[in-house]
Amino acid sequence: MSHRIRVAIAGYGNLGRGVEAALAQNPDMRLVGVFSRREPSSVKLLDSSTPVYAMADIEQYQDDVDVMILCGGSKSDLPEQGPYLAKFFNTVDSFDTHAKVPEYYEALDQSARDAGRVAMLSVGWDPGLFSLNRLYGEAILPEGETYTFWGKGLSQGHSDAVRRVPGVQSAVQYTLPSENAMARVRAGEQPELSTREKHTRECFVVLAEGADADVVRESIVSMPDYFADYDTVVNFIDQETFKTEHSSMPHGGFVIRSGNTGVNTKQTIEYSLALGSNPEFTSSVLVAYARAVHRLARLNDIGAKTVFDIAPGLLSPKSPAQLRKELL
Amino acid sequence: MSHRIRVAIAGYGNLGRGVEAALAQNPDMRLVGVFSRREPSSVKLLDSSTPVYAMADIEQYQDDVDVMILCGGSKSDLPEQGPYLAKFFNTVDSFDTHAKVPEYYEALDQSARDAGRVAMLSVGWDPGLFSLNRLYGEAILPEGETYTFWGKGLSQGHSDAVRRVPGVQSAVQYTLPSENAMARVRAGEQPELSTREKHTRECFVVLAEGADADVVRESIVSMPDYFADYDTVVNFIDQETFKTEHSSMPHGGFVIRSGNTGVNTKQTIEYSLALGSNPEFTSSVLVAYARAVHRLARLNDIGAKTVFDIAPGLLSPKSPAQLRKELL
């Protein structure tokens, strides 16, 4: 199986671990190594037979890797690592700071073109699969509105904000789409929806010894930017319940295009995800797109790429003829 | 606006009329003519200022059309028209005889390559958007099962079969997905579902004068191939109700991928359509892909193509930079 796609992982947190697991489900690929800024011997992989290397040595491996999957964070890791690693590898990442996509794209494109590499950015579900569905929706139904709802899902940023409230020992925050708002959209009303109308927020909080529940609740629900614009429910639970019921990372959401054709005929396209684990799913999307990146690189179709640039057939291990026969 | 994409329609039934309406929603395209086998003066368009030409003269217009949208039927029209018209035009069609796709693809590909044209086949929602979602689903979640449910929707073939039953004056048949089967799939059970378990069928029948309802019902529900393998409900209504409540052509359905990642984490991807008019929606998909066909032709990327070969960005009138900024 020496012709399998040789994949490596840069950064081994939740996402890197998810990529390792996803690669094991794709027999046309193999994981040739993991790169970490930690001391390599301290990094414990799911499969201990895979080598771990120091991130500082990564340039030495440029001939041994077909696609490098970047599993660092969007805030500080990827803006540095992306353009740097695109000089040596074909890359794919999950950069998700929507507002900074144009700037990051330019930096990646420059670096990848100079080196004759493919660098794919913003792969995952949002940005990623949700972006695709926003595009398909408005291209097919140009007269209409697109709605994105998130949840039910754990929000890392909002959970962190709750944990910083004095008197909170442990906390998670879930974002929930409003059933009422979704029903109006599905009915073809094309409503204008305020922030408060689209989502609600639910917190599960373990109080610190001696903390006042009412004071904690008020501090949370009135927090600007994070909660003040939403209807927020705060539930208090004990540490044991917190551990058993709130330690997974579910997420998901909906992209709904509501449009009209002909003489006011209603047409609705809906895409939804219900994810048991957000990082494991994002990893699975990264791995499918790594296959496409490898194929583009072999065609010498270089530069920065997004999901909008990738013909769907490139994601599948099946041949074009097999896809037409089995899936069309 | 002389740089608008010049589109023509070959065949003017429900689908052709839908394409005419959809083109009016896309300002970067214009309809330059309709070709029909009927006497041109007898064909009444939505916009009477568009010229209608005889199908027999179509070859004469090869320099005046960027993309020809083929609106004939899959059974007898397209197998003839597709390969013939691909000699003169870039084409897009909605060929939907799943079993004959490989054969039709080969004929189109040969014809289009010889002429240096693009010929896109099987565009619509199934085949088409549903095919795409079957592909994305299994590429992203390789360990899992894909389920396609149709409905609620009017089935033309089954309605015709009911109308042929003696004693039936008028009839429509709707296919309905089983709520119970969908719930099991969404719960991640990955069940094996029989034909009877996936869909039910509902008929609305106007009896002919003097016909016996019980005899008609029995003839319908026991009909081999069409109804014998399903749970079928037959409702008898009067002609007036038939006309007011059953003259539109709604359809839709669901593609659900239920998969596992990591250590048995459940992940679900669901795509659904709720269509007020099946032909108008199919037409809208054809028009979006006509834009992609035009772009491929300009890149000289010739031959037969399916939805699997088309990078999503090619469907949108927006530039790649605009798409990244607004939709990613």
Side-chain angles (χ1 to χ4, degrees):
Chain A
M1 296 282 273
S2 58
H3 57 291
R4 288 193 291 171
I5 304 169
R6 299 168 304 167
V7 179
I9 294 169
Y12 195 76
N14 283 331
L15 201 57
R17 196 157 36 243
V19 168
E20 184 187 9
L23 285 169
Q25 295 185 330
N26 287 278
D28 62 329
M29 303 185 181
R30 67 190 174 98
L31 178 59
V32 297
V34 169
F35 294 86
S36 174
R37 280 174 304 203
R38 285 176 278 160
E39 161 60 36
S41 65
S42 76
V43 178
K44 300 299 173 209
L45 306 190
L46 301 173
D47 176 355
S48 58
S49 70
T50 301
V52 181
Y53 305 107
M55 191 75 87
D57 298 334
I58 197 166
E59 292 181 23
Q60 298 172 23
Y61 297 89
Q62 58 180 298
D63 295 332
D64 305 314
V65 174
D66 295 315
V67 184
M68 181 69 69
I69 301 183
L70 277 49
C71 296
S74 296
K75 197 164 177 189
S76 48
D77 297 335
L78 294 175
E80 293 281 322
Q81 286 178 353
Y84 167 69
L85 292 175
K87 293 184 200 172
F88 309 103
F89 300 98
N90 302 306
T91 65
V92 54
D93 73 46
S94 62
F95 185 78
D96 67 359
T97 312
H98 289 262
K100 295 199 171 157
V101 161
E103 178 186 333
Y104 183 60
Y105 175 92
E106 291 304 331
L108 271 187
D109 194 51
Q110 183 76 53
S111 182
R113 285 189 189 280
D114 288 350
R117 299 288 187 172
V118 180
M120 192 166 180
L121 63 147
S122 300
V123 170
W125 59 275
D126 197 356
L129 303 178
F130 273 20
S131 320
L132 282 178
N133 280 279
R134 288 188 283 263
L135 189 158
Y136 280 117
E138 72 169 41
I140 291 162
L141 298 174
E143 295 187 4
E145 290 293 334
T146 302
Y147 298 84
T148 301
F149 294 95
W150 293 275
K152 180 186 178 177
L154 186 143
S155 162
Q156 211 59 67
H158 284 75
S159 297
D160 289 345
V162 176
R163 280 190 283 269
R164 287 192 297 265
V165 170
V168 171
Q169 180 180 303
S170 309
V172 286
Q173 192 270 181
Y174 299 100
T175 304
L176 290 90
S178 155
E179 286 295 333
N180 179 260
M182 289 212 297
R184 291 177 62 195
V185 169
R186 286 173 176 147
E189 271 189 46
Q190 299 186 23
E192 270 196 54
L193 296 168
S194 67
T195 299
R196 191 181 290 270
E197 285 172 310
K198 283 187 72 182
H199 296 94
T200 58
R201 298 192 179 278
E202 187 170 22
C203 306
F204 290 86
V205 172
V206 181
L207 287 172
E209 188 86 22
D212 182 322
D214 287 339
V215 173
V216 168
R217 176 183 286 111
E218 187 52 32
S219 304
I220 294 170
V221 302
S222 63
M223 197 186 299
D225 300 333
Y226 286 90
F227 293 99
D229 295 336
Y230 294 88
D231 291 331
T232 303
V233 173
V234 180
N235 304 294
F236 295 102
I237 57 177
D238 61 33
Q239 186 66 40
E240 185 54 30
T241 308
F242 183 83
K243 202 176 153 192
T244 55
E245 295 180 12
H246 300 282
S247 58
S248 62
M249 284 178 277
H251 219 309
F254 302 78
V255 176
I256 306 177
R257 179 69 177 181
S258 171
N260 303 304
T261 59
V263 183
N264 216 18
T265 306
K266 287 181 183 173
Q267 313 275 17
T268 309
I269 307 174
E270 177 167 337
Y271 184 78
S272 67
L273 298 172
L275 308 177
S277 161
N278 184 355
E280 286 180 13
F281 187 77
T282 300
S283 301
S284 297
V285 182
L286 280 167
V287 167
Y289 277 95
R291 182 180 289 117
V293 164
H294 177 61
R295 289 169 169 175
L296 290 185
R298 294 182 67 158
L299 295 168
N300 208 32
D301 185 354
I302 62 169
K305 307 285 176 188
T306 74
V307 292
F308 300 148
D309 304 312
I310 306 300
L314 295 174
L315 300 177
S316 173
K318 294 179 176 174
S319 72
Q322 196 180 0
L323 289 175
R324 287 192 295 270
K325 191 172 189 308
E326 296 178 10
L327 296 183
L328 197 65
Chain B
M1 295 282 272
S2 59
H3 56 293
R4 288 192 292 170
I5 304 169
R6 299 168 302 166
V7 179
I9 294 170
Y12 195 77
N14 283 331
L15 201 57
R17 196 157 36 244
V19 168
E20 184 186 9
L23 286 168
Q25 295 185 329
N26 287 277
D28 62 330
M29 303 186 183
R30 68 189 174 100
L31 178 60
V32 296
V34 169
F35 294 88
S36 174
R37 279 174 305 202
R38 286 177 276 160
E39 161 59 37
S41 65
S42 75
V43 178
K44 300 299 171 208
L45 306 189
L46 301 174
D47 176 355
S48 59
S49 69
T50 301
V52 181
Y53 305 108
M55 191 75 89
D57 298 333
I58 198 165
E59 293 181 23
Q60 299 172 22
Y61 297 89
Q62 59 182 296
D63 295 331
D64 305 313
V65 175
D66 295 315
V67 184
M68 181 69 69
I69 302 184
L70 277 49
C71 296
S74 297
K75 197 165 177 187
S76 47
D77 297 335
L78 294 175
E80 293 282 321
Q81 286 178 353
Y84 167 70
L85 292 175
K87 293 183 200 173
F88 308 103
F89 301 98
N90 302 305
T91 65
V92 54
D93 72 47
S94 62
F95 185 79
D96 67 358
T97 312
H98 289 262
K100 295 198 172 159
V101 162
E103 180 186 332
Y104 183 61
Y105 175 92
E106 291 303 331
L108 271 187
D109 194 51
Q110 182 77 53
S111 182
R113 285 190 188 281
D114 288 350
R117 299 287 187 172
V118 181
M120 190 164 183
L121 64 148
S122 300
V123 170
W125 59 277
D126 197 359
L129 303 178
F130 274 20
S131 320
L132 282 178
N133 280 279
R134 287 188 283 263
L135 189 159
Y136 279 118
E138 72 169 41
I140 290 162
L141 297 173
E143 295 186 3
E145 290 293 333
T146 302
Y147 298 84
T148 301
F149 294 94
W150 292 276
K152 179 185 178 176
L154 185 143
S155 162
Q156 211 59 65
H158 284 74
S159 298
D160 290 344
V162 176
R163 279 191 283 269
R164 287 192 296 266
V165 170
V168 171
Q169 179 180 304
S170 310
V172 286
Q173 191 271 179
Y174 299 100
T175 304
L176 290 91
S178 155
E179 286 296 332
N180 179 261
M182 289 211 298
R184 291 176 62 195
V185 169
R186 286 173 177 148
E189 271 189 45
Q190 298 186 22
E192 270 196 53
L193 296 169
S194 67
T195 298
R196 189 179 292 273
E197 285 172 310
K198 283 187 74 183
H199 295 94
T200 58
R201 297 191 179 278
E202 186 169 23
C203 305
F204 290 85
V205 172
V206 181
L207 287 172
E209 187 84 23
D212 181 323
D214 288 341
V215 172
V216 168
R217 177 184 285 112
E218 186 53 32
S219 303
I220 295 170
V221 302
S222 63
M223 197 187 298
D225 300 333
Y226 286 90
F227 294 99
D229 295 336
Y230 295 86
D231 291 331
T232 302
V233 173
V234 181
N235 304 294
F236 295 102
I237 57 176
D238 61 35
Q239 187 65 39
E240 185 55 30
T241 307
F242 182 83
K243 203 177 153 192
T244 54
E245 295 180 14
H246 300 283
S247 58
S248 62
M249 284 178 277
H251 220 308
F254 302 79
V255 175
I256 306 177
R257 178 69 177 181
S258 171
N260 302 303
T261 59
V263 183
N264 216 18
T265 306
K266 286 180 184 173
Q267 313 274 17
T268 308
I269 307 174
E270 178 166 336
Y271 184 77
S272 67
L273 299 172
L275 309 176
S277 161
N278 183 357
E280 285 181 13
F281 187 78
T282 301
S283 301
S284 296
V285 183
L286 281 166
V287 167
Y289 277 95
R291 182 181 289 117
V293 164
H294 178 61
R295 289 169 169 175
L296 289 184
R298 294 181 70 159
L299 296 168
N300 207 32
D301 185 355
I302 61 169
K305 307 285 176 189
T306 74
V307 291
F308 300 148
D309 303 312
I310 306 299
L314 296 173
L315 300 178
S316 173
K318 295 179 176 174
S319 72
Q322 197 180 0
L323 289 175
R324 287 192 295 270
K325 191 170 189 310
E326 296 178 9
L327 297 182
L328 198 65

